[in-house]
Amino acid sequence: MPELVIAHTGVKERSGRYKWGSGDRPYQRLEKRKSVFQKISEEREFKRKRKESAAKKAEAERLRLMEANKERVLKSGSATEVLKYAEAGMLTNKQLQTVANRIDTTQKIKSYAEKEVQTNMQKMDKIMKNVKTATEWTKIATESYNVLAQIYNSTPQGKKDPWILIEKGGKKEEKAKS
């Protein structure tokens, strides 16, 4: 019996990784090869596009977050936060006017509160001035009493029954230590 041998060497103008070829790019042999400079240029272009894509994604995420926080900023955000939204073109003139009125009203109320605190401090200052005046009067009265007591104690009747002098705090102890 004769031996049968099956052999295949491929088909003309078929290409691919396998011997018989895949047929995806039959004229691959005719394609022009790229130079090193073309390959580098294509790689740079690819990287640039990837960066642009990442930047677009980041910007889209930033805008999505801004949109999510928009209501909070309109209701309670600071002027700086509102300005970011206005510059991004996310607020209407009516919304900006509403925020401006809210911020102005808040500032007025804060100034009223500060005035109340100042008024309370002024009241306290007035009380402290009265206490200082009373303290000074007490010192004068004490000094006057001591002068009168010294004069009385220098008389014959004062020598028999002397008046007690009012000492200033800590003076007796200092005299005793000396």
Side-chain angles (χ1 to χ4, degrees), residues 18-47:
Y18 304 104
K19 286 184 180 179
W20 289 5
S22 65
D24 287 344
R25 291 170 52 205
Y27 301 102
Q28 184 176 359
R29 65 182 169 79
L30 301 175
E31 289 179 8
K32 191 175 185 182
R33 291 194 170 192
K34 295 178 185 175
S35 71
V36 173
F37 298 111
Q38 288 174 328
K39 289 179 183 178
I40 291 172
S41 175
E42 285 177 0
E43 191 168 325
R44 286 182 181 164
E45 182 67 20
F46 175 75
K47 287 180 180 178

Side-chain angles (χ1 to χ4, degrees), residues 165-168 170-178:
L165 294 177
I166 299 173
E167 296 287 331
K168 292 184 179 178
K171 291 254 181 166
K172 278 188 176 178
E173 292 174 12
E174 288 177 15
K175 287 182 183 177
K177 288 180 181 176
S178 313

Side-chain angles (χ1 to χ4, degrees), residues 22-151:
S22 65
D24 287 344
R25 291 170 52 205
Y27 301 102
Q28 184 176 359
R29 65 182 169 79
L30 301 175
E31 289 179 8
K32 191 175 185 182
R33 291 194 170 192
K34 295 178 185 175
S35 71
V36 173
F37 298 111
Q38 288 174 328
K39 289 179 183 178
I40 291 172
S41 175
E42 285 177 0
E43 191 168 325
R44 286 182 181 164
E45 182 67 20
F46 175 75
K47 287 180 180 178
R48 185 187 62 78
K49 286 181 180 179
R50 190 169 53 188
K51 280 184 182 179
E52 286 177 0
S53 175
K56 285 180 183 178
K57 285 180 182 178
E59 180 65 14
E61 179 66 17
R62 186 183 73 82
L63 289 174
R64 186 189 66 76
L65 288 173
M66 285 180 74
E67 190 65 39
N69 288 328
K70 182 177 173 181
E71 288 302 317
R72 181 196 59 81
V73 170
L74 287 173
K75 290 181 181 176
S76 63
S78 67
T80 307
E81 287 178 312
V82 173
L83 184 61
K84 288 178 187 176
Y85 282 79
E87 288 173 349
M90 297 179 77
L91 300 177
T92 64
N93 287 339
K94 185 177 180 180
Q95 289 172 324
L96 287 171
Q97 188 64 42
T98 303
V99 170
N101 289 339
R102 177 184 57 82
I103 291 173
D104 288 341
T105 305
T106 303
Q107 288 298 324
K108 282 182 182 179
I109 292 172
K110 282 182 182 178
S111 70
Y112 295 154
E114 288 174 2
K115 286 179 184 176
E116 286 177 359
V117 169
Q118 287 177 351
T119 303
N120 290 338
M121 291 302 288
Q122 289 168 348
K123 288 177 184 176
M124 183 62 95
D125 194 35
K126 190 174 181 180
I127 290 170
M128 294 309 290
K129 284 180 182 177
N130 290 339
V131 168
K132 182 179 178 183
T133 303
T135 303
E136 289 173 357
W137 287 354
T138 304
K139 285 180 184 178
I140 292 170
T142 303
E143 290 172 1
S144 299
Y145 170 80
N146 283 341
V147 168
L148 287 174
Q150 287 173 350
I151 293 171

